[in-house]
Amino acid sequence: MPGIDPLAFIIISAAFGTLCAFVLFVLGSGFLRDIKGLAHWGAACITMATAAFLFALRGIVPVLFSSFLPNLLVAVGVVTMHASLTEYGGFKRKTKLLFLILGAAALALAWFTFVQDNYRARVITMSSTLTVLFTACALLIFRLKEKGFAERFTGLAFLATSVVMLARCTAAFLQNSRVRPDTDTSLVHSVYMGTFAFSLVALSLGFMLMVSRAMHMKLEFLATRDQMTGVYRRDAFLALLDQTIAQSRLKRRPMSVLIIDLDNFKEVNDRHGHLTGDQVIIDFSSKVQQLLRRGDAIGRYGGEEFLVLLPDTTQDDAYSVADRIRAMAAEVWSKEVPAYTVSIGVAPLVADYPDSATLIDAADKALYAAKKAGKNHVMLACSQSYGITPS
Ligand SMILES: Nc1nc2c(ncn2[C@@H]2O[C@H](COP(=O)(O)OP(=O)(O)OP(=O)(O)O)[C@@H](O)[C@H]2O)c(=O)[nH]1
């Protein structure tokens, strides 16, 4: 298709790439420092923008700088994006295969540029390499645990780019072998160059959306979590409890609450010191977190007092969970943490305890009974059906 100048695409992508890299570096050195992979993504944009500027110098500088080097830089840019996504998602780095692909592409490109000048072979080499690299990036995105609009957008942008690269590769196989870079105005080539420009912008935009979502989630986590243990803070837990009670009543599903208090904690502090006391609290909360199901929640109610929310759980099942927590707390997992025990009160959502205040109060009374019974006990609140039962 005549009239579409690949050079215009190239220059636009170079300018966009530089701007995107600038924004990412500014974000990465500022308040988004906690988000992993920003620096690598910025570096990828710079690499690709440099490639685009070099492409634009075709005919002005030697082929080494206007063809071989920029083609290689584009591939390096995508590998750097892959490294960024690996860091961002906290995945294990598996770079050997990508470097092998990169090395093989560099050798083939060098051969078809300097030894046997073959434009079609260069296009096939580059487009097949980029198809693999862009697909590898898309696969990484689809492996992310939390996927929202931003992740889907970026993943699809990677996939769309790799489809265009594949189309370019296929077209090159069918193309007249006498076509040269300066005479190649085919539709596929124009789309290929346009995609290079557009994907750099779309991918960076997608990545920035992903970063802003990650930051939002982190801020939400920090606002609702207890700093020492990482479990819900009291106010956030109570809000979650109210929400779960409303849902359980609406769906007529059972739910239960546990209130847990570490036994003789003053003595633990007095005997081992406050720091060791803190370690006991951290040890306990991590044990409970390992034991709970997805959908359950634990919150720190007071100093050494915790609340556990068990949706879809009858009083009987809540009792079993509580007793497992009690038994697990008594296990010594680390030499740095002295042995300790807990007492637990269990209360189900029933007509007598219809809201968070009455439910917690009922669980608290059962906890008091557990303490009175000699501690290291689980007690039930629902006296109508179960009575105050020692473990
Ligand atoms: N190390 C540490 N101690 C805490 C923290 N929060 C509360 N405490 C201490 O926990 C102790 C609670 O003591 P008490 O309320 O008398 O209860 P207890 O000694 O556990 O006795 P029982 O509840 O009857 O088993 C107090 O000494 C608090 O100072 C904390 O974050 N870290």
Side-chain angles (χ1 to χ4, degrees):
M1 189 175 77
I4 297 181
D5 180 8
L7 202 64
F9 284 127
I10 288 171
I11 290 168
I12 292 166
S13 72
F16 275 146
T18 311
L19 280 176
C20 289
F22 175 73
V23 172
L24 283 165
F25 281 128
V26 170
L27 289 177
S29 60
F31 74 108
L32 291 185
R33 220 170 301 141
D34 277 356
I35 307 289
K36 302 280 175 258
L38 276 184
H40 264 125
W41 196 281
C45 288
I46 286 283
T47 310
M48 290 179 99
T50 310
F53 278 123
L54 289 174
F55 275 133
L57 296 178
R58 197 173 57 211
I60 303 170
V61 295
V63 71
L64 167 68
F65 297 108
S66 66
S67 172
F68 176 73
L69 204 57
N71 270 308
L72 208 56
L73 283 179
V74 173
V76 169
V78 188
V79 169
T80 314
M81 279 181 176
H82 191 275
S84 160
L85 291 172
T86 305
E87 279 175 27
Y88 177 86
F91 298 122
K92 228 175 125 204
R93 284 188 93 155
K94 285 187 197 153
T95 40
K96 228 186 230 168
L97 184 63
L98 291 184
F99 280 125
L100 261 176
I101 294 170
L102 206 58
L107 281 177
L109 209 58
W111 180 268
F112 292 120
T113 308
F114 304 113
V115 182
Q116 184 192 328
D117 182 12
N118 185 335
Y119 171 64
R120 189 165 69 149
R122 285 202 301 273
V123 172
I124 291 171
T125 301
M126 274 319 294
S127 50
S128 58
T129 303
L130 291 178
T131 302
V132 173
L133 296 180
F134 278 115
T135 307
C137 289
L139 291 179
L140 262 192
I141 299 229
F142 293 121
R143 270 179 58 203
L144 289 171
K145 268 192 229 120
E146 306 274 349
K147 280 190 286 291
F149 169 79
E151 288 72 18
R152 290 198 178 92
F153 174 86
T154 317
L156 285 177
F158 270 120
L159 267 190
T161 311
S162 68
V163 167
V164 174
M165 298 298 144
L166 188 63
R168 181 65 184 116
C169 186
T170 314
F173 269 114
L174 310 171
Q175 201 173 30
N176 181 341
S177 59
R178 281 191 303 261
V179 171
R180 304 270 326 147
D182 39 1
T183 57
D184 192 355
T185 52
S186 64
L187 173 64
V188 176
H189 185 69
S190 298
V191 172
Y192 174 70
M193 296 315 288
T195 302
F196 173 57
F198 187 71
S199 70
L200 189 51
V201 181
L203 292 172
S204 289
L205 187 75
F207 187 69
M208 279 191 252
L209 287 174
M210 280 164 59
V211 166
S212 94
R213 197 174 98 91
M215 198 61 207
H216 179 83
M217 280 164 64
K218 184 152 184 86
L219 287 176
E220 197 175 84
F221 184 86
L222 289 176
T224 57
R225 302 299 166 136
D226 170 57
Q227 218 178 359
M228 189 163 100
T229 58
V231 305
Y232 278 106
R233 279 173 24 182
R234 184 191 170 110
D235 50 353
F237 184 90
L238 292 179
L240 184 66
L241 179 60
D242 282 334
Q243 209 180 315
T244 314
I245 288 174
Q247 277 171 6
S248 301
R249 291 173 65 167
L250 193 73
K251 293 182 187 160
R252 298 177 173 276
R253 301 289 307 158
M255 65 155 280
S256 299
V257 160
L258 315 179
I259 186 159
I260 310 173
D261 190 85
L262 279 84
D263 295 328
N264 307 316
F265 202 62
K266 189 173 177 318
E267 208 179 300
V268 173
N269 274 335
D270 291 347
R271 191 181 300 170
H272 303 282
H274 224 79
L275 284 181
T276 306
D278 286 353
Q279 286 311 311
V280 170
I281 290 177
I282 293 168
D283 181 83
F284 174 68
S285 55
S286 76
K287 277 178 180 167
V288 178
Q289 279 172 292
Q290 286 180 42
L291 203 141
L292 295 181
R293 300 166 308 181
R294 213 180 146 88
D296 298 343
I298 172 170
R300 196 165 170 201
Y301 195 45
E304 24 71 82
E305 210 168 11
F306 292 86
L307 279 171
V308 170
L309 169 62
L310 302 170
D312 281 321
T313 310
T314 61
Q315 180 169 244
D316 280 351
D317 291 339
Y319 182 89
S320 307
V321 174
D323 204 47
R324 262 182 281 146
I325 291 176
R326 185 198 59 77
M328 198 188 231
E331 290 170 11
V332 176
W333 283 12
S334 148
K335 275 188 207 143
E336 279 84 59
V337 181
Y340 62 93
T341 60
V342 299
S343 296
I344 306 178
V346 183
L349 183 71
V350 286
D352 282 352
Y353 323 131
D355 53 38
S356 56
T358 49
L359 196 56
I360 292 174
D361 190 48
D364 208 27
K365 286 196 174 101
L367 170 65
Y368 180 74
K371 292 274 185 188
K372 260 189 110 179
K375 304 183 181 178
N376 193 19
H377 272 66
V378 178
M379 290 288 190
L380 301 173
C382 207
S383 51
Q384 305 96 310
S385 47
Y386 296 92
I388 297 288
T389 317
S391 61

